[in-house]
Amino acid sequence: MLLFTTKIVGWKFQSLKPLLSYYKNTYCLARALSVNVNVVEVENGLASIVGSKYVATSHAICEQHSHDESYHRHLLPSIVVWPQSVGEVSEVAKLCTAHKMPMIPFGTGTGMEGGVAPMGPSVSINLTKLNEITDLHLDDFDVKAQPGVTRKQLNYDLRSTGLWFPVDPGSDASLCGMAATGASGTNAVRYGTMKQNVLNLQVVLADGTILHTAGEKRRCKKSSAGYNLTELFIGSEGTLGFITSATLRLHGQPEMTKSAVCSFPTIMDAVNTAMQILQCSIPIARIELLDETSIKAVNNYSHLTHPEMPHLFLEFHGSAASTGEQVDQTAEIAGLNSGSEFKWAETQEEHNHLWQARHDLWYAVKAFKPGSTAISTDACVPVSALAEAISHSAALLDESGLIGGILGHVGDGNYHCFVIVEDDQAKLVESLTKAIGKKAIELGGTCTGEHGIGIGKRPLLKEEVGEKTLKLMKAIKCSFDPLGLMNPGKVFS
Amino acid sequence: MLLFTTKIVGWKFQSLKPLLSYYKNTYCLARALSVNVNVVEVENGLASIVGSKYVATSHAICEQHSHDESYHRHLLPSIVVWPQSVGEVSEVAKLCTAHKMPMIPFGTGTGMEGGVAPMGPSVSINLTKLNEITDLHLDDFDVKAQPGVTRKQLNYDLRSTGLWFPVDPGSDASLCGMAATGASGTNAVRYGTMKQNVLNLQVVLADGTILHTAGEKRRCKKSSAGYNLTELFIGSEGTLGFITSATLRLHGQPEMTKSAVCSFPTIMDAVNTAMQILQCSIPIARIELLDETSIKAVNNYSHLTHPEMPHLFLEFHGSAASTGEQVDQTAEIAGLNSGSEFKWAETQEEHNHLWQARHDLWYAVKAFKPGSTAISTDACVPVSALAEAISHSAALLDESGLIGGILGHVGDGNYHCFVIVEDDQAKLVESLTKAIGKKAIELGGTCTGEHGIGIGKRPLLKEEVGEKTLKLMKAIKCSFDPLGLMNPGKVFS
């Protein structure tokens, strides 16, 4: 029997149909259909663990916890709860498990694939009250951060140490959330993604077990001790457990940083430049592509005056001699591909403004049509296939008549189409995303370079890894979370 | 009922006692005790799959497949088989599963923790007949190698391409075996370990399923599509399945390479130099420590004439300007720690001889007592703890009275004690290994930086990651290999 009380505020405009249809699509159908949740009891239980002021069921708060920055909209969570410690996260998990109540870890809500959107009655567990930065080891370049700590906050705290954390998705995301998504950003071409920059994770499983993926103390650079559970949790999108702290690898702030922009007559000239820079093993720190539409958006939103042509935004890190060398080699390659002279960010303000503008691009594109919804595709291909992939995406975008631009971390072969979506264009956008993902897979790439699978890319995941590999992933999920309570409906369909 | 026929050649000097005691220590005791293997039937079945000339049960061949380069000696495999293709590996796995016969993947047999040593009736599956290098993508810096391809063979094949594969354990190991162990080597400080250099794996599960951990085609640099099964198989030591090909990340051969050695009055001066080089973010390619005993061994075995003092062997990669800078900074740091002038490898021959001598150190130490057994400990700690860890190990080695030296990839905080073992010293060596591992764990490190857990370090794994984390590892093992047939008794006890 399905029992929902009037306290499930998210359900007032919903029938049971979407729930049933959702559960029909999950891999643990039989169990899901027997779900029997007394929400009032769960709410009271949660209040007794965290205190009633840290439990909410109001529509406004539930709505805020029902989505990320993507267009994916599903149901509202039944309850939102803010545990104050790892112990409370564990107690909350035990309670939810006892009531067979699905749990959704919530950080900054800045995901791009609907990873925090509830797909049935559920508790959204907001982890941002756990916000300590601890165990900073200046000699070893490592630090521990809890889920409430964002990447900017960490770097602000580190500003006087000579160290920094380089992984930088567009938004100021939670570091633990970035681990959960397998995020990356503009610096990945030189410093790697979250995969290369997490040494250990503290996690809480659905049954409340608290553990460290690499043991309580480990923070050394390498190990071959047993299975790599740290990497397994990176990119697991809250489906295996809560990430309650991450031991992160830091890097020395470069002795010198030089940033420049360079325009090109065509997007292919810019792409070819990026490819050749990588093929020459130039240790470039950032190499970002922005097409004509993206440049228009950046100019409008961030008050810049770049010519409305495809651009590469470039950054070089190193000593004076080594950045000098990198710049010379890069300029030569750009010149051979009809690139303009480099326009340098001369001051720290210009440098910051340039890269902030790049990071704000998502909001800049949305500003084309204030209040609009936007989507971002996220494909990644081998570098040699980048020209073909981007030209295929550009043609699709053109044919669709949608407003949007192409940009990306081309140093990794990773690129996005940002597209404005009208209410009646959902199907069009879905087919665009699917076609871009399929092409990337065909070219030896992936349907998601850094956004994760979430809700939207579940069919593409199957296409990318195949049925047999997916079955192994599901086997892991089932062995970690046998009741299927951790963020159900995400990653797998 | 336990049924062993006379064809189990490995058992002729064995009683059932070790088998029962082994199975008592495994986590699937109940199943193991019900094992009922008709070896003749398995042998006939294998011959019908691979042809009888690729199946062997002779004592000499079984003995050769019963151990790696470590001191761990257990039983002989019942049968050795050489499949010729991935399809045959799959058929062999299906047959063994049908007969509940344990399977042990075998590559070059150069492991250091007994990973290939049978612990009961089993088939040793020698994968070296699968020895193709395919799918070389010069533009994308990636290639595919089967288990019969060793690291030196791959680099020899790549010699004219401008690319190379940097991971270099001491021996000329199989690349797929290196993935299975989570191996690294002298270049890891700059180029990473196998974890950072494998893009995809083809694996065969115990039930014969053939799959790719990242889908059939994927070879792009990054992805956040689903769980990271590639990393899960790296370091799984044959306990989850056979690795039948690895898609590897290649690197551009450096424009310039400079190698030097530098001697120090004490081992601590050398360690402090290494720590400070890393803390200054100098992008050094190799930084290897050799203590006085190791230098003696190297001098004797490789006909070198280094002063018998602790040394750092150093290598710098980059352009002329950047290597020049790295050398100047490193020399300054070494000088501040009482290091000698750098002695340069002036020619390519000198360079090769220097590093070959370093790689041959294991054999050089063994040559102190020809025909002797040696062991290598393998601890890794955060760099700031290196001085404490090494000084603790040196004191233990001194107290023990054992002949041995200390050396290591100190750029990663990873070091080894090489020790000569007499027949009556097994217990002494075991307690030394345990004490070194425990100290490393206590200091935030690991009991194994690159050798894996195998047989010898199972108790230390539990100590390092804790009971709860170990339980998750076992849950994965059980879901991939429910009958516990893949390399049983390794990693877990």
Side-chain angles (χ1 to χ4, degrees), chain B residues 116-141:
Chain B
V116 297
M119 298 176 80
S122 52
V123 179
S124 178
I125 297 160
N126 186 315
L127 298 165
T128 54
K129 298 278 180 194
L130 283 75
N131 61 357
E132 284 188 4
I133 297 171
T134 59
D135 302 86
L136 171 61
H137 294 101
L138 292 177
D139 285 348
D140 296 316
F141 292 22

mmCIF file of all heavy atoms in Angstrom, chain B residues 116-141:
data_model
loop_
_atom_site.group_PDB
_atom_site.id
_atom_site.type_symbol
_atom_site.label_atom_id
_atom_site.label_comp_id
_atom_site.label_asym_id
_atom_site.label_seq_id
_atom_site.Cartn_x
_atom_site.Cartn_y
_atom_site.Cartn_z
ATOM 1 N N VAL B 116 50.503 -14.286 -7.976
ATOM 2 C CA VAL B 116 50.175 -15.401 -8.877
ATOM 3 C C VAL B 116 50.330 -16.771 -8.220
ATOM 4 O O VAL B 116 50.146 -17.798 -8.874
ATOM 5 C CB VAL B 116 51.046 -15.369 -10.167
ATOM 6 C CG1 VAL B 116 50.778 -14.111 -10.972
ATOM 7 C CG2 VAL B 116 52.540 -15.490 -9.841
ATOM 8 N N ALA B 117 50.667 -16.786 -6.931
ATOM 9 C CA ALA B 117 50.914 -18.065 -6.260
ATOM 10 C C ALA B 117 49.606 -18.784 -5.936
ATOM 11 O O ALA B 117 48.770 -18.225 -5.230
ATOM 12 C CB ALA B 117 51.705 -17.819 -4.974
ATOM 13 N N PRO B 118 49.413 -20.003 -6.456
ATOM 14 C CA PRO B 118 48.169 -20.726 -6.173
ATOM 15 C C PRO B 118 48.066 -21.086 -4.685
ATOM 16 O O PRO B 118 49.069 -21.392 -4.054
ATOM 17 C CB PRO B 118 48.295 -22.001 -7.009
ATOM 18 C CG PRO B 118 49.328 -21.698 -8.040
ATOM 19 C CD PRO B 118 50.281 -20.756 -7.379
ATOM 20 N N MET B 119 46.842 -21.050 -4.186
ATOM 21 C CA MET B 119 46.629 -21.381 -2.781
ATOM 22 C C MET B 119 45.670 -22.547 -2.655
ATOM 23 O O MET B 119 45.097 -22.790 -1.587
ATOM 24 C CB MET B 119 46.142 -20.143 -2.039
ATOM 25 C CG MET B 119 47.214 -19.052 -2.100
ATOM 26 S SD MET B 119 46.706 -17.515 -1.356
ATOM 27 C CE MET B 119 46.949 -17.877 0.370
ATOM 28 N N GLY B 120 45.476 -23.250 -3.750
ATOM 29 C CA GLY B 120 44.604 -24.413 -3.786
ATOM 30 C C GLY B 120 44.601 -24.907 -5.212
ATOM 31 O O GLY B 120 45.290 -24.341 -6.065
ATOM 32 N N PRO B 121 43.821 -25.956 -5.519
ATOM 33 C CA PRO B 121 43.734 -26.427 -6.896
ATOM 34 C C PRO B 121 43.299 -25.265 -7.783
ATOM 35 O O PRO B 121 42.382 -24.528 -7.418
ATOM 36 C CB PRO B 121 42.632 -27.489 -6.829
ATOM 37 C CG PRO B 121 42.494 -27.836 -5.394
ATOM 38 C CD PRO B 121 42.906 -26.647 -4.615
ATOM 39 N N SER B 122 43.961 -25.084 -8.902
ATOM 40 C CA SER B 122 43.660 -23.912 -9.725
ATOM 41 C C SER B 122 44.265 -24.074 -11.109
ATOM 42 O O SER B 122 45.171 -24.883 -11.313
ATOM 43 C CB SER B 122 44.230 -22.654 -9.075
ATOM 44 O OG SER B 122 45.591 -22.861 -8.778
ATOM 45 N N VAL B 123 43.734 -23.270 -12.042
ATOM 46 C CA VAL B 123 44.332 -23.191 -13.370
ATOM 47 C C VAL B 123 45.080 -21.864 -13.455
ATOM 48 O O VAL B 123 44.500 -20.812 -13.189
ATOM 49 C CB VAL B 123 43.254 -23.255 -14.473
ATOM 50 C CG1 VAL B 123 43.906 -23.150 -15.851
ATOM 51 C CG2 VAL B 123 42.460 -24.549 -14.369
ATOM 52 N N SER B 124 46.349 -21.920 -13.815
ATOM 53 C CA SER B 124 47.102 -20.694 -14.054
ATOM 54 C C SER B 124 46.922 -20.364 -15.528
ATOM 55 O O SER B 124 47.243 -21.182 -16.404
ATOM 56 C CB SER B 124 48.575 -20.931 -13.723
ATOM 57 O OG SER B 124 49.305 -19.756 -14.002
ATOM 58 N N ILE B 125 46.370 -19.203 -15.797
ATOM 59 C CA ILE B 125 46.048 -18.848 -17.187
ATOM 60 C C ILE B 125 47.075 -17.842 -17.683
ATOM 61 O O ILE B 125 47.029 -16.664 -17.316
ATOM 62 C CB ILE B 125 44.585 -18.365 -17.270
ATOM 63 C CG1 ILE B 125 43.685 -19.548 -16.864
ATOM 64 C CG2 ILE B 125 44.250 -17.894 -18.693
ATOM 65 C CD1 ILE B 125 42.319 -19.194 -16.425
ATOM 66 N N ASN B 126 47.997 -18.349 -18.459
ATOM 67 C CA ASN B 126 49.101 -17.535 -18.966
ATOM 68 C C ASN B 126 48.599 -16.748 -20.175
ATOM 69 O O ASN B 126 48.233 -17.312 -21.202
ATOM 70 C CB ASN B 126 50.279 -18.446 -19.342
ATOM 71 C CG ASN B 126 51.494 -17.650 -19.737
ATOM 72 O OD1 ASN B 126 51.398 -16.688 -20.499
ATOM 73 N ND2 ASN B 126 52.648 -18.031 -19.213
ATOM 74 N N LEU B 127 48.592 -15.419 -20.037
ATOM 75 C CA LEU B 127 47.965 -14.566 -21.056
ATOM 76 C C LEU B 127 48.963 -14.013 -22.070
ATOM 77 O O LEU B 127 48.615 -13.170 -22.897
ATOM 78 C CB LEU B 127 47.234 -13.409 -20.361
ATOM 79 C CG LEU B 127 46.087 -13.832 -19.424
ATOM 80 C CD1 LEU B 127 45.690 -12.683 -18.518
ATOM 81 C CD2 LEU B 127 44.880 -14.301 -20.217
ATOM 82 N N THR B 128 50.211 -14.484 -22.018
ATOM 83 C CA THR B 128 51.242 -13.819 -22.831
ATOM 84 C C THR B 128 51.148 -14.102 -24.328
ATOM 85 O O THR B 128 51.833 -13.457 -25.114
ATOM 86 C CB THR B 128 52.655 -14.171 -22.325
ATOM 87 O OG1 THR B 128 52.777 -15.589 -22.287
ATOM 88 C CG2 THR B 128 52.884 -13.617 -20.939
ATOM 89 N N LYS B 129 50.295 -15.073 -24.715
ATOM 90 C CA LYS B 129 50.124 -15.305 -26.160
ATOM 91 C C LYS B 129 49.248 -14.210 -26.783
ATOM 92 O O LYS B 129 49.206 -14.069 -28.001
ATOM 93 C CB LYS B 129 49.488 -16.674 -26.416
ATOM 94 C CG LYS B 129 50.323 -17.845 -25.932
ATOM 95 C CD LYS B 129 51.391 -18.214 -26.940
ATOM 96 C CE LYS B 129 52.214 -19.392 -26.425
ATOM 97 N NZ LYS B 129 53.452 -19.574 -27.206
ATOM 98 N N LEU B 130 48.539 -13.492 -25.954
ATOM 99 C CA LEU B 130 47.805 -12.308 -26.440
ATOM 100 C C LEU B 130 48.817 -11.170 -26.370
ATOM 101 O O LEU B 130 49.021 -10.575 -25.305
ATOM 102 C CB LEU B 130 46.616 -11.978 -25.529
ATOM 103 C CG LEU B 130 45.352 -12.841 -25.658
ATOM 104 C CD1 LEU B 130 45.558 -14.193 -25.015
ATOM 105 C CD2 LEU B 130 44.177 -12.144 -25.008
ATOM 106 N N ASN B 131 49.460 -10.878 -27.468
ATOM 107 C CA ASN B 131 50.585 -9.940 -27.366
ATOM 108 C C ASN B 131 50.604 -8.894 -28.470
ATOM 109 O O ASN B 131 51.651 -8.534 -28.986
ATOM 110 C CB ASN B 131 51.920 -10.702 -27.311
ATOM 111 C CG ASN B 131 52.125 -11.528 -28.562
ATOM 112 O OD1 ASN B 131 51.250 -11.569 -29.421
ATOM 113 N ND2 ASN B 131 53.251 -12.183 -28.668
ATOM 114 N N GLU B 132 49.412 -8.401 -28.793
ATOM 115 C CA GLU B 132 49.363 -7.390 -29.853
ATOM 116 C C GLU B 132 49.331 -5.963 -29.313
ATOM 117 O O GLU B 132 48.726 -5.686 -28.291
ATOM 118 C CB GLU B 132 48.121 -7.615 -30.724
ATOM 119 C CG GLU B 132 48.321 -8.796 -31.659
ATOM 120 C CD GLU B 132 47.193 -8.921 -32.658
ATOM 121 O OE1 GLU B 132 46.301 -8.055 -32.671
ATOM 122 O OE2 GLU B 132 47.213 -9.910 -33.415
ATOM 123 N N ILE B 133 49.999 -5.090 -30.071
ATOM 124 C CA ILE B 133 49.889 -3.647 -29.825
ATOM 125 C C ILE B 133 49.020 -3.116 -30.963
ATOM 126 O O ILE B 133 49.367 -3.274 -32.131
ATOM 127 C CB ILE B 133 51.282 -2.978 -29.870
ATOM 128 C CG1 ILE B 133 52.171 -3.529 -28.744
ATOM 129 C CG2 ILE B 133 51.157 -1.460 -29.767
ATOM 130 C CD1 ILE B 133 53.625 -3.093 -28.847
ATOM 131 N N THR B 134 47.888 -2.532 -30.640
ATOM 132 C CA THR B 134 46.971 -2.069 -31.696
ATOM 133 C C THR B 134 46.492 -0.648 -31.388
ATOM 134 O O THR B 134 46.788 -0.093 -30.328
ATOM 135 C CB THR B 134 45.730 -2.984 -31.791
ATOM 136 O OG1 THR B 134 45.067 -2.969 -30.527
ATOM 137 C CG2 THR B 134 46.105 -4.397 -32.173
ATOM 138 N N ASP B 135 45.730 -0.109 -32.316
ATOM 139 C CA ASP B 135 45.035 1.174 -32.128
ATOM 140 C C ASP B 135 45.960 2.293 -31.649
ATOM 141 O O ASP B 135 45.603 3.039 -30.727
ATOM 142 C CB ASP B 135 43.867 1.010 -31.135
ATOM 143 C CG ASP B 135 42.868 -0.037 -31.585
ATOM 144 O OD1 ASP B 135 43.073 -1.234 -31.288
ATOM 145 O OD2 ASP B 135 41.903 0.325 -32.249
ATOM 146 N N LEU B 136 47.120 2.386 -32.263
ATOM 147 C CA LEU B 136 48.019 3.492 -31.910
ATOM 148 C C LEU B 136 47.489 4.773 -32.547
ATOM 149 O O LEU B 136 47.351 4.855 -33.766
ATOM 150 C CB LEU B 136 49.444 3.186 -32.411
ATOM 151 C CG LEU B 136 50.462 4.332 -32.307
ATOM 152 C CD1 LEU B 136 50.660 4.763 -30.855
ATOM 153 C CD2 LEU B 136 51.801 3.909 -32.913
ATOM 154 N N HIS B 137 47.157 5.748 -31.720
ATOM 155 C CA HIS B 137 46.683 7.041 -32.210
ATOM 156 C C HIS B 137 47.740 8.089 -31.916
ATOM 157 O O HIS B 137 47.833 8.596 -30.797
ATOM 158 C CB HIS B 137 45.353 7.413 -31.533
ATOM 159 C CG HIS B 137 44.236 6.487 -31.900
ATOM 160 N ND1 HIS B 137 43.812 5.474 -31.075
ATOM 161 C CD2 HIS B 137 43.471 6.416 -33.018
ATOM 162 C CE1 HIS B 137 42.825 4.820 -31.658
ATOM 163 N NE2 HIS B 137 42.595 5.357 -32.835
ATOM 164 N N LEU B 138 48.522 8.395 -32.919
ATOM 165 C CA LEU B 138 49.648 9.315 -32.717
ATOM 166 C C LEU B 138 49.170 10.709 -32.336
ATOM 167 O O LEU B 138 49.812 11.405 -31.550
ATOM 168 C CB LEU B 138 50.501 9.384 -33.984
ATOM 169 C CG LEU B 138 51.263 8.102 -34.338
ATOM 170 C CD1 LEU B 138 52.004 8.268 -35.650
ATOM 171 C CD2 LEU B 138 52.243 7.728 -33.223
ATOM 172 N N ASP B 139 48.029 11.137 -32.896
ATOM 173 C CA ASP B 139 47.525 12.485 -32.614
ATOM 174 C C ASP B 139 46.954 12.606 -31.207
ATOM 175 O O ASP B 139 46.914 13.692 -30.632
ATOM 176 C CB ASP B 139 46.402 12.841 -33.603
ATOM 177 C CG ASP B 139 46.963 13.178 -34.975
ATOM 178 O OD1 ASP B 139 48.180 13.347 -35.086
ATOM 179 O OD2 ASP B 139 46.162 13.252 -35.926
ATOM 180 N N ASP B 140 46.447 11.497 -30.694
ATOM 181 C CA ASP B 140 45.774 11.550 -29.394
ATOM 182 C C ASP B 140 46.631 10.978 -28.266
ATOM 183 O O ASP B 140 46.193 10.962 -27.116
ATOM 184 C CB ASP B 140 44.455 10.772 -29.460
ATOM 185 C CG ASP B 140 43.483 11.408 -30.420
ATOM 186 O OD1 ASP B 140 43.355 12.643 -30.375
ATOM 187 O OD2 ASP B 140 42.863 10.687 -31.218
ATOM 188 N N PHE B 141 47.801 10.481 -28.611
ATOM 189 C CA PHE B 141 48.711 9.933 -27.605
ATOM 190 C C PHE B 141 48.055 8.764 -26.856
ATOM 191 O O PHE B 141 48.031 8.733 -25.631
ATOM 192 C CB PHE B 141 49.121 11.018 -26.582
ATOM 193 C CG PHE B 141 49.987 12.121 -27.130
ATOM 194 C CD1 PHE B 141 50.029 12.415 -28.480
ATOM 195 C CD2 PHE B 141 50.771 12.892 -26.282
ATOM 196 C CE1 PHE B 141 50.833 13.431 -28.988
ATOM 197 C CE2 PHE B 141 51.581 13.913 -26.780
ATOM 198 C CZ PHE B 141 51.606 14.184 -28.131
#
